[in-house]
Amino acid sequence: MKILVTGGTGYIGSHTCVELLNEGYEVVIVDNFSNSKPEVTEKIKKITNKDIKFYKGDVCSRELIEKIFNENEIDGVIHFAGYKAVGESVKKPLMYYQNNLESTINLLDVMQNHNCKTFIFSSSATVYGIQDTPKYVETMERRKQSNPYGRTKSMIEQILEDLYTSDNSWNITLLRYFNPVGSHESGLLGDDPSGIPNNLMPYILRVSTHQLEKLTIFGRDYETPDGTCIRDYIHVVDLAKGHLKALKHAKENPSNLYIYNLGSGKGISVQEMVDTFEKVNNLKLNYVYGERRAGDLPEYYADANKALKELNWKTEKTLEDMCKDSYNFAINSKSE
Ligand code: NAD
Ligand code: UFG
């Protein structure tokens, strides 16, 4: 089976390409390197000892996507390409709506013309907005998201639902990721945002490698056991494997629209993350407690039962693995 992976040199995309290649899929990547580096393709090849076909360019380009479909018999698409920085999306909403929506619509239109109708979309737990309970289950309605990035995910989910309603020969899977962290065990792939990171683990990594002075834990007065926020962190390799399960499921159950949470089902606090990182990597992190960050919810995590029941998928890696593998990548990339 030949899979087109958009955004395949990005953080989650690159890990998913490795798992796809290891399972014998053929992989075609398209990426414009707006948030990744060309050398990632070589790293994927090095880890897997397999070849990939790569197109450099923009998923918003009709011409490029047509060319890819004309030159390859694509059986299905995993669509990772998109912008993902929450804060930036507040400052540059048009850039976010343009890139995330246009790339998706363009891709779907070309797929339809080529009668390729298996589509897996990178959605996010952010589409749940604020719910009445912290455990998010797929049957909950999407609620108001707090930023343009989140709204692009919610809008794309809606577009995909409308598309499926119009033509139910599509096979669409919406995967709602919780908080991906960790890296491939080789230390070659990982999350390496440019500039000062916003997310917890990349920030911890910069502090642990002395590229940033100290971490601020945002808020210690939440109504949680230790007062810090709770999230559902998922190792990126587990997350990548979830995509393979979704592809297999799509092949066995054609023509439908499915929604799955991809999370561990377990909430971890910021304090627990910091403590575990220190312990498994045998180091001390320089950190302070600061004000709450605007827009943060105190607690949420996945109900991961549907993915277990229908995809036969669950997370296997531990919080210790996430901390160890993340640090390994940070050390490795610093010495490159
Ligand atoms: P990433 O930025 O590392 O990867 C995205 C890739 O897409 C990058 O390589 C970038 O260069 C590429 N890209 C962006 N726009 C493009 C375009 N128009 N044409 C071609 N390439 C383009 O991000 P990631 O963390 O790997 O996330 C992948 C997907 O998962 C995104 O859609 C993101 O919104 C979603 N997601 C991520 C998280 C997270 O916390 N990392 C959580 C939920 C959902
Ligand atoms: N945090 C800190 N200090 C930091 C960075 C983060 O204390 O320097 C805390 C945050 O306050 C939060 C937790 O660490 O409590 C996790 O924050 P992240 O920024 O890593 O992740 P979020 O849960 O805020 O958001 C992430 C992605 C979004 C996505 C959402 C979906 O960044 O894109 O998960 O669940 F929509």
Side-chain angles (χ1 to χ4, degrees):
M1 255 187 123
K2 196 176 271 191
I3 306 299
L4 174 63
V5 183
T6 76
T9 52
Y11 173 45
I12 306 169
S14 58
H15 286 86
T16 304
C17 288
V18 166
E19 298 304 322
L20 286 168
L21 291 161
N22 284 342
E23 281 295 308
Y25 287 92
E26 287 180 74
V27 169
V28 178
I29 295 179
V30 56
D31 202 303
N32 62 1
F33 300 131
S34 56
N35 197 35
S36 58
K37 296 188 180 117
E39 52 266 32
V40 172
T41 53
E42 292 312 313
K43 291 180 177 174
I44 296 171
K45 288 184 200 167
K46 190 173 167 192
I47 292 169
T48 60
N49 211 11
K50 303 247 171 78
D51 209 6
I52 45 179
K53 195 159 180 184
F54 181 79
Y55 291 84
K56 179 178 182 305
D58 195 330
V59 183
C60 299
S61 159
R62 176 92 194 184
E63 208 185 328
L64 174 65
I65 302 301
E66 276 290 354
K67 178 177 153 72
I68 295 173
F69 275 84
N70 286 331
E71 290 179 358
N72 303 277
E73 277 290 325
I74 303 289
D75 297 297
V77 176
I78 309 181
H79 181 37
F80 292 105
Y83 296 150
K84 63 163 184 178
V86 170
E88 186 181 52
S89 79
V90 175
K91 293 192 186 106
K92 300 177 180 170
L94 294 182
M95 189 173 109
Y96 271 69
Y97 288 117
Q98 190 269 333
N99 191 47
N100 292 5
L101 295 177
E102 197 178 318
S103 62
T104 309
I105 294 168
N106 186 42
L107 189 57
L108 292 167
D109 201 27
V110 175
M111 286 177 72
Q112 194 158 37
N113 289 344
H114 287 261
N115 203 30
C116 171
K117 293 186 176 173
T118 300
F119 189 75
I120 295 181
F121 176 61
S122 296
S123 191
S124 165
T126 195
V127 301
Y128 286 104
I130 302 175
Q131 301 285 340
D132 304 330
T133 62
K135 188 174 186 169
Y136 290 175
V137 59
E138 293 88 342
T139 47
M140 288 170 167
E141 61 176 359
R142 288 185 291 267
R143 289 204 176 154
K144 191 173 170 16
Q145 299 79 38
S146 57
N147 58 75
Y149 162 72
R151 284 190 274 280
T152 67
K153 292 294 173 193
S154 181
M155 285 174 184
I156 294 168
E157 286 202 356
Q158 184 63 64
I159 290 169
L160 290 166
E161 286 169 3
D162 291 341
L163 180 65
Y164 179 72
T165 304
S166 75
D167 172 1
N168 57 24
S169 66
W170 276 90
N171 191 329
I172 295 170
T173 311
L174 313 180
L175 298 179
R176 293 177 177 165
Y177 312 156
F178 282 68
N179 288 48
V181 295
S183 302
H184 187 263
E185 60 183 8
S186 63
L188 291 174
L189 304 173
D191 192 10
D192 189 16
S194 46
I196 296 180
N198 296 304
N199 297 118
L200 180 62
M201 184 57 87
Y203 208 104
I204 290 178
L205 295 179
R206 296 279 171 91
V207 175
S208 67
T209 51
H210 309 290
Q211 298 173 74
L212 285 171
E213 194 207 333
K214 61 172 185 290
L215 169 77
T216 302
I217 294 183
F218 298 138
R220 197 190 188 181
D221 56 351
Y222 285 100
E223 283 186 24
T224 58
D226 62 26
T228 67
C229 284
I230 291 179
R231 294 287 180 274
D232 185 336
Y233 296 94
I234 168 174
H235 195 294
V236 67
V237 172
D238 280 335
L239 182 61
K241 288 180 177 167
H243 293 74
L244 273 76
K245 293 283 190 179
L247 263 181
K248 186 167 174 278
H249 179 261
K251 197 164 170 249
E252 289 162 1
N253 303 275
S255 303
N256 217 322
L257 184 139
Y258 303 96
I259 304 179
Y260 298 104
N261 286 340
L262 294 184
S264 71
K266 190 171 178 287
I268 301 288
S269 74
V270 177
Q271 188 71 59
E272 271 177 282
M273 178 63 93
V274 167
D275 293 347
T276 309
F277 191 90
E278 290 189 326
K279 190 162 157 243
V280 303
N281 295 315
N282 196 22
L283 51 78
K284 279 273 159 236
L285 274 177
N286 188 16
Y287 68 88
V288 293
Y289 298 99
E291 295 294 304
R292 292 181 178 197
R293 185 172 69 177
D296 274 348
L297 297 178
E299 176 180 22
Y300 63 84
Y301 50 92
D303 181 326
N305 284 311
K306 192 176 174 206
L308 175 62
K309 214 168 128 213
E310 297 183 15
L311 302 181
N312 188 27
W313 173 90
K314 66 175 167 51
T315 57
E316 281 166 3
K317 298 204 179 251
T318 62
L319 181 60
E320 283 73 16
D321 296 328
M322 299 178 208
C323 292
K324 189 165 55 66
D325 293 341
S326 297
Y327 187 56
N328 185 30
F329 169 69
I331 298 285
N332 213 26
S333 41
K334 205 186 163 199
S335 63
E336 264 180 8

